[in-house]
Amino acid sequence: MQNWQSLLKQSITCAEHLPANLGGGDERINKVREIYPMRINPYYLGLIRQKNDPIWNQCVPRMEELQDNVCMEDPLDEENLSPVPNLIHKYPDRVLFLVTSQCAMYCRFCTRKRKVGTGRMVVTSETIAAGIDYLRKNPQIRDVLISGGDPFLLSDSRLEEILKAVREIPSVEIIRIGSRVPCTLPMRVTQRLVRMLKKYHPLYINTHFNHPLEITPQSALACARLADAGIPLSCQTVLLKGVNDDAETMKELMCKLLTIRVRPYYLFQGDMTRGTNHFRTSIDTGKKIMRSLIGHISGLAVPTYAVDAPGGGGKIPLTPDYVQIEGQQLVFTNYLGKTCFYDNAGG
Ligand SMILES: *Cc1c(COP(=O)(O)O)cnc(C)c1O
Ligand code: SF4
C-alpha cells in the first residue's frame, strides 16, 4: 500500500475518533454523517488549529446541514442534464464526466453533497464505458472535465485506463481533471502518478484551495510536481462564510496560489445546495471582495467571480460595476475609487 492509501485508511469518519477539543464524541456529528459522510484524513486534520477555524469548518459536520429548508438537492439540475449516468452535458462543446464518488476529505459545502461518498452515487465500469461511448458519438465535445468525487482517488492504473480511452477519441482536444487532492491529500501526487499523467497532454488540472492555511510545503510540492510535468494548474475557490469571506483572507489566498504556480480561475458564489445554506454569503460580499482584489494585486491572481445558475443555466460572471455613467462620455471609477473618463464616441 502506498503512503497516501494508508493515510486515507486512517481517516476519521465518526465523532468518536475526532479529538475531544475538535468536537470529538459529539453525537450531533454522527447524526449528520449518517446522511452526509465525513472523512478527514490525518493530513487535513493536521491543518486544523482549533474548533470553528476555517479548516475545521470545511470538514467537520454541523447540525445546520440537516436544517436547511432553503436550498435544493440538485440545484444545477445535473441529473436531468445527464444523457448517461455520471456525465453532465450542459454546454455544447464540453462535458463533466464523473468517474468516482470518493474524495480524500468530504467538504461540508460540496455541490454534489446529495451523492458524493454515498451509495446514492454509483460509478461502475459500465457507467464509465457508457460515458466514453457518449464522447465518441458526440464529436462536438472537445473538452472533457474528469471529476467526481475526486479522480485522484482512483488507482494510477484505473485512472490511466480512463485517460487513455478519452485521449483516443479524435474529437476530444483537451482533458481537464478536477481534483482537490493537491490541497487535501497532497502526498497522493506521487512521481509515478505524474509520470503517467504527462502522457495524456494537453491536460489541465483544476484544483481547489479555499484558505491560505491549506498552502503548505506538502501542497506546494504536489503542485510543483504537476507543474513540472507541464500541466497548467488553476484553482476553483468557493466563497464560504466562516472560511474565506473577507478581503484579507482572499487576497492572501490568491497571491499565495500564484507562488505555488496555481492560477486562480473561478471564485464561485456558493451553490444553492441543500445542507450548505449556512455557508452562503450575499453576492454583495463577493463583489466587495472582488473590488479589493482587482487592481490591488497582480491580475494573474484575480479569479472570475461567478455564480452557477440554479436550474442548469451555466456559469454567470459577477463583476463589480466600475461604470458610473454610460453613454458617449463614459464615466467610471478606478480601483482606488477615483473618477475617470473615456470618450466613447471615437473608433
Ligand atoms: C463548470 C462546468 C463546465 C466547465 O465550465 P468552464 O467555464 O468551461 O470551466 C462544464 N460542464 C459543466 C456541467 C459544468 O458545471
Ligand atoms: S473534493 Fe470536491 S467533490 Fe469532493 S467533497 Fe470536496 S467539493 Fe465535493
Side-chain angles (χ1 to χ4, degrees), residues 2-29:
Q2 292 187 285
N3 178 33
W4 68 271
Q5 286 165 321
S6 73
L7 276 176
L8 199 63
K9 266 206 151 166
Q10 297 164 47
S11 294
I12 291 170
T13 57
C14 64
E16 289 70 38
H17 295 142
L18 200 63
N21 62 330
L22 300 181
D26 188 336
E27 266 314 305
R28 290 171 301 181
I29 291 176

mmCIF file of all heavy atoms in Angstrom, residues 2-29:
data_model
loop_
_atom_site.group_PDB
_atom_site.id
_atom_site.type_symbol
_atom_site.label_atom_id
_atom_site.label_comp_id
_atom_site.label_asym_id
_atom_site.label_seq_id
_atom_site.Cartn_x
_atom_site.Cartn_y
_atom_site.Cartn_z
ATOM 1 N N GLN A 2 0.482 2.227 -0.808
ATOM 2 C CA GLN A 2 1.252 3.467 -0.850
ATOM 3 C C GLN A 2 0.929 4.340 0.359
ATOM 4 O O GLN A 2 -0.115 4.183 0.986
ATOM 5 C CB GLN A 2 0.953 4.212 -2.144
ATOM 6 C CG GLN A 2 1.494 3.487 -3.385
ATOM 7 C CD GLN A 2 1.320 4.330 -4.625
ATOM 8 O OE1 GLN A 2 0.230 4.474 -5.155
ATOM 9 N NE2 GLN A 2 2.409 4.904 -5.095
ATOM 10 N N ASN A 3 1.834 5.253 0.663
ATOM 11 C CA ASN A 3 1.681 6.142 1.811
ATOM 12 C C ASN A 3 0.319 6.850 1.834
ATOM 13 O O ASN A 3 -0.356 6.907 2.858
ATOM 14 C CB ASN A 3 2.843 7.154 1.782
ATOM 15 C CG ASN A 3 2.739 8.159 2.908
ATOM 16 O OD1 ASN A 3 2.264 7.824 3.996
ATOM 17 N ND2 ASN A 3 3.158 9.379 2.656
ATOM 18 N N TRP A 4 -0.094 7.360 0.675
ATOM 19 C CA TRP A 4 -1.364 8.098 0.652
ATOM 20 C C TRP A 4 -2.537 7.174 0.938
ATOM 21 O O TRP A 4 -3.526 7.580 1.555
ATOM 22 C CB TRP A 4 -1.536 8.841 -0.676
ATOM 23 C CG TRP A 4 -1.748 7.976 -1.901
ATOM 24 C CD1 TRP A 4 -0.784 7.453 -2.713
ATOM 25 C CD2 TRP A 4 -3.010 7.569 -2.449
ATOM 26 N NE1 TRP A 4 -1.360 6.731 -3.735
ATOM 27 C CE2 TRP A 4 -2.723 6.790 -3.597
ATOM 28 C CE3 TRP A 4 -4.344 7.771 -2.091
ATOM 29 C CZ2 TRP A 4 -3.723 6.225 -4.389
ATOM 30 C CZ3 TRP A 4 -5.339 7.205 -2.888
ATOM 31 C CH2 TRP A 4 -5.026 6.439 -4.015
ATOM 32 N N GLN A 5 -2.399 5.926 0.496
ATOM 33 C CA GLN A 5 -3.502 4.986 0.740
ATOM 34 C C GLN A 5 -3.610 4.654 2.223
ATOM 35 O O GLN A 5 -4.718 4.541 2.757
ATOM 36 C CB GLN A 5 -3.300 3.712 -0.082
ATOM 37 C CG GLN A 5 -3.594 3.949 -1.563
ATOM 38 C CD GLN A 5 -3.076 2.844 -2.454
ATOM 39 O OE1 GLN A 5 -1.985 2.309 -2.235
ATOM 40 N NE2 GLN A 5 -3.834 2.511 -3.484
ATOM 41 N N SER A 6 -2.461 4.536 2.881
ATOM 42 C CA SER A 6 -2.562 4.231 4.314
ATOM 43 C C SER A 6 -3.038 5.454 5.090
ATOM 44 O O SER A 6 -3.789 5.320 6.059
ATOM 45 C CB SER A 6 -1.260 3.632 4.857
ATOM 46 O OG SER A 6 -0.289 4.606 4.956
ATOM 47 N N LEU A 7 -2.662 6.664 4.649
ATOM 48 C CA LEU A 7 -3.205 7.874 5.291
ATOM 49 C C LEU A 7 -4.724 7.917 5.153
ATOM 50 O O LEU A 7 -5.452 8.227 6.097
ATOM 51 C CB LEU A 7 -2.613 9.130 4.650
ATOM 52 C CG LEU A 7 -1.266 9.609 5.166
ATOM 53 C CD1 LEU A 7 -0.797 10.803 4.355
ATOM 54 C CD2 LEU A 7 -1.336 9.965 6.645
ATOM 55 N N LEU A 8 -5.177 7.602 3.952
ATOM 56 C CA LEU A 8 -6.612 7.646 3.686
ATOM 57 C C LEU A 8 -7.359 6.658 4.589
ATOM 58 O O LEU A 8 -8.438 6.955 5.101
ATOM 59 C CB LEU A 8 -6.842 7.321 2.211
ATOM 60 C CG LEU A 8 -8.170 7.747 1.626
ATOM 61 C CD1 LEU A 8 -8.336 9.259 1.665
ATOM 62 C CD2 LEU A 8 -8.287 7.255 0.187
ATOM 63 N N LYS A 9 -6.730 5.507 4.780
ATOM 64 C CA LYS A 9 -7.333 4.474 5.643
ATOM 65 C C LYS A 9 -7.494 4.938 7.082
ATOM 66 O O LYS A 9 -8.389 4.486 7.792
ATOM 67 C CB LYS A 9 -6.454 3.209 5.623
ATOM 68 C CG LYS A 9 -6.889 2.204 4.602
ATOM 69 C CD LYS A 9 -6.468 0.815 5.033
ATOM 70 C CE LYS A 9 -7.423 -0.210 4.477
ATOM 71 N NZ LYS A 9 -6.895 -1.574 4.586
ATOM 72 N N GLN A 10 -6.574 5.818 7.492
ATOM 73 C CA GLN A 10 -6.630 6.313 8.881
ATOM 74 C C GLN A 10 -7.578 7.498 9.047
ATOM 75 O O GLN A 10 -7.566 8.159 10.080
ATOM 76 C CB GLN A 10 -5.237 6.755 9.327
ATOM 77 C CG GLN A 10 -4.186 5.660 9.374
ATOM 78 C CD GLN A 10 -2.784 6.264 9.449
ATOM 79 O OE1 GLN A 10 -2.519 7.167 10.230
ATOM 80 N NE2 GLN A 10 -1.896 5.769 8.604
ATOM 81 N N SER A 11 -8.376 7.779 8.032
ATOM 82 C CA SER A 11 -9.266 8.945 8.104
ATOM 83 C C SER A 11 -10.291 8.803 9.223
ATOM 84 O O SER A 11 -10.755 7.697 9.527
ATOM 85 C CB SER A 11 -10.020 9.113 6.785
ATOM 86 O OG SER A 11 -9.131 9.440 5.759
ATOM 87 N N ILE A 12 -10.664 9.933 9.778
ATOM 88 C CA ILE A 12 -11.708 9.978 10.795
ATOM 89 C C ILE A 12 -13.059 10.040 10.089
ATOM 90 O O ILE A 12 -13.283 10.894 9.226
ATOM 91 C CB ILE A 12 -11.495 11.200 11.701
ATOM 92 C CG1 ILE A 12 -10.237 10.976 12.526
ATOM 93 C CG2 ILE A 12 -12.710 11.441 12.589
ATOM 94 C CD1 ILE A 12 -9.774 12.181 13.270
ATOM 95 N N THR A 13 -13.941 9.102 10.455
ATOM 96 C CA THR A 13 -15.238 9.050 9.782
ATOM 97 C C THR A 13 -16.416 9.139 10.758
ATOM 98 O O THR A 13 -17.560 9.085 10.344
ATOM 99 C CB THR A 13 -15.371 7.735 8.965
ATOM 100 O OG1 THR A 13 -15.185 6.643 9.877
ATOM 101 C CG2 THR A 13 -14.329 7.645 7.862
ATOM 102 N N CYS A 14 -16.118 9.240 12.045
ATOM 103 C CA CYS A 14 -17.199 9.368 13.027
ATOM 104 C C CYS A 14 -16.711 10.181 14.229
ATOM 105 O O CYS A 14 -15.506 10.363 14.419
ATOM 106 C CB CYS A 14 -17.689 7.991 13.473
ATOM 107 S SG CYS A 14 -16.421 7.063 14.330
ATOM 108 N N ALA A 15 -17.667 10.652 15.020
ATOM 109 C CA ALA A 15 -17.361 11.580 16.124
ATOM 110 C C ALA A 15 -16.408 10.972 17.158
ATOM 111 O O ALA A 15 -15.579 11.678 17.725
ATOM 112 C CB ALA A 15 -18.660 12.014 16.796
ATOM 113 N N GLU A 16 -16.519 9.668 17.376
ATOM 114 C CA GLU A 16 -15.704 9.022 18.420
ATOM 115 C C GLU A 16 -14.211 9.197 18.184
ATOM 116 O O GLU A 16 -13.421 9.232 19.122
ATOM 117 C CB GLU A 16 -16.008 7.512 18.493
ATOM 118 C CG GLU A 16 -17.370 7.160 19.052
ATOM 119 C CD GLU A 16 -18.509 7.516 18.124
ATOM 120 O OE1 GLU A 16 -18.354 7.358 16.898
ATOM 121 O OE2 GLU A 16 -19.548 7.989 18.621
ATOM 122 N N HIS A 17 -13.814 9.263 16.927
ATOM 123 C CA HIS A 17 -12.378 9.307 16.625
ATOM 124 C C HIS A 17 -11.826 10.720 16.470
ATOM 125 O O HIS A 17 -10.634 10.914 16.262
ATOM 126 C CB HIS A 17 -12.080 8.469 15.376
ATOM 127 C CG HIS A 17 -12.365 7.012 15.593
ATOM 128 N ND1 HIS A 17 -12.906 6.205 14.627
ATOM 129 C CD2 HIS A 17 -12.224 6.234 16.700
ATOM 130 C CE1 HIS A 17 -13.070 4.983 15.117
ATOM 131 N NE2 HIS A 17 -12.671 4.976 16.378
ATOM 132 N N LEU A 18 -12.718 11.691 16.567
ATOM 133 C CA LEU A 18 -12.272 13.084 16.458
ATOM 134 C C LEU A 18 -11.707 13.512 17.816
ATOM 135 O O LEU A 18 -12.286 13.184 18.848
ATOM 136 C CB LEU A 18 -13.491 13.934 16.075
ATOM 137 C CG LEU A 18 -13.281 15.310 15.461
ATOM 138 C CD1 LEU A 18 -12.556 15.216 14.128
ATOM 139 C CD2 LEU A 18 -14.646 15.988 15.266
ATOM 140 N N PRO A 19 -10.577 14.230 17.833
ATOM 141 C CA PRO A 19 -10.049 14.681 19.132
ATOM 142 C C PRO A 19 -11.098 15.487 19.912
ATOM 143 O O PRO A 19 -11.911 16.198 19.311
ATOM 144 C CB PRO A 19 -8.871 15.582 18.744
ATOM 145 C CG PRO A 19 -8.463 15.114 17.385
ATOM 146 C CD PRO A 19 -9.712 14.628 16.716
ATOM 147 N N ALA A 20 -11.069 15.375 21.238
ATOM 148 C CA ALA A 20 -12.100 15.984 22.092
ATOM 149 C C ALA A 20 -12.192 17.495 21.884
ATOM 150 O O ALA A 20 -13.290 18.053 21.831
ATOM 151 C CB ALA A 20 -11.816 15.662 23.553
ATOM 152 N N ASN A 21 -11.052 18.152 21.714
ATOM 153 C CA ASN A 21 -11.085 19.615 21.567
ATOM 154 C C ASN A 21 -11.616 20.056 20.198
ATOM 155 O O ASN A 21 -11.821 21.240 19.960
ATOM 156 C CB ASN A 21 -9.684 20.202 21.804
ATOM 157 C CG ASN A 21 -8.674 19.693 20.790
ATOM 158 O OD1 ASN A 21 -8.788 18.576 20.290
ATOM 159 N ND2 ASN A 21 -7.700 20.507 20.461
ATOM 160 N N LEU A 22 -11.830 19.088 19.309
ATOM 161 C CA LEU A 22 -12.345 19.437 17.977
ATOM 162 C C LEU A 22 -13.784 18.961 17.794
ATOM 163 O O LEU A 22 -14.293 18.910 16.672
ATOM 164 C CB LEU A 22 -11.453 18.837 16.880
ATOM 165 C CG LEU A 22 -9.979 19.286 16.889
ATOM 166 C CD1 LEU A 22 -9.222 18.634 15.742
ATOM 167 C CD2 LEU A 22 -9.854 20.805 16.800
ATOM 168 N N GLY A 23 -14.418 18.599 18.895
ATOM 169 C CA GLY A 23 -15.816 18.164 18.821
ATOM 170 C C GLY A 23 -15.983 16.672 18.971
ATOM 171 O O GLY A 23 -17.074 16.145 18.749
ATOM 172 N N GLY A 24 -14.914 15.977 19.340
ATOM 173 C CA GLY A 24 -14.940 14.522 19.495
ATOM 174 C C GLY A 24 -16.081 14.069 20.406
ATOM 175 O O GLY A 24 -16.362 14.709 21.410
ATOM 176 N N GLY A 25 -16.752 12.984 20.012
ATOM 177 C CA GLY A 25 -17.824 12.420 20.832
ATOM 178 C C GLY A 25 -19.164 13.114 20.685
ATOM 179 O O GLY A 25 -20.155 12.640 21.233
ATOM 180 N N ASP A 26 -19.217 14.187 19.935
ATOM 181 C CA ASP A 26 -20.478 14.917 19.778
ATOM 182 C C ASP A 26 -21.433 14.098 18.904
ATOM 183 O O ASP A 26 -21.182 13.887 17.713
ATOM 184 C CB ASP A 26 -20.187 16.282 19.137
ATOM 185 C CG ASP A 26 -21.409 17.196 19.107
ATOM 186 O OD1 ASP A 26 -22.542 16.673 19.138
ATOM 187 O OD2 ASP A 26 -21.207 18.418 19.033
ATOM 188 N N GLU A 27 -22.542 13.658 19.517
ATOM 189 C CA GLU A 27 -23.484 12.787 18.796
ATOM 190 C C GLU A 27 -24.122 13.474 17.592
ATOM 191 O O GLU A 27 -24.560 12.817 16.653
ATOM 192 C CB GLU A 27 -24.565 12.268 19.757
ATOM 193 C CG GLU A 27 -24.237 10.915 20.359
ATOM 194 C CD GLU A 27 -23.733 9.899 19.330
ATOM 195 O OE1 GLU A 27 -24.443 9.654 18.330
ATOM 196 O OE2 GLU A 27 -22.626 9.347 19.511
ATOM 197 N N ARG A 28 -24.177 14.792 17.637
ATOM 198 C CA ARG A 28 -24.774 15.519 16.503
ATOM 199 C C ARG A 28 -23.958 15.301 15.227
ATOM 200 O O ARG A 28 -24.505 15.199 14.134
ATOM 201 C CB ARG A 28 -24.878 17.014 16.826
ATOM 202 C CG ARG A 28 -25.936 17.316 17.898
ATOM 203 C CD ARG A 28 -25.871 18.745 18.344
ATOM 204 N NE ARG A 28 -24.549 19.070 18.895
ATOM 205 C CZ ARG A 28 -24.198 20.256 19.379
ATOM 206 N NH1 ARG A 28 -25.041 21.255 19.369
ATOM 207 N NH2 ARG A 28 -22.991 20.459 19.867
ATOM 208 N N ILE A 29 -22.640 15.184 15.417
ATOM 209 C CA ILE A 29 -21.775 14.932 14.258
ATOM 210 C C ILE A 29 -22.166 13.598 13.619
ATOM 211 O O ILE A 29 -22.273 13.471 12.391
ATOM 212 C CB ILE A 29 -20.290 14.954 14.678
ATOM 213 C CG1 ILE A 29 -19.876 16.386 15.053
ATOM 214 C CG2 ILE A 29 -19.388 14.375 13.585
ATOM 215 C CD1 ILE A 29 -18.448 16.517 15.577
#
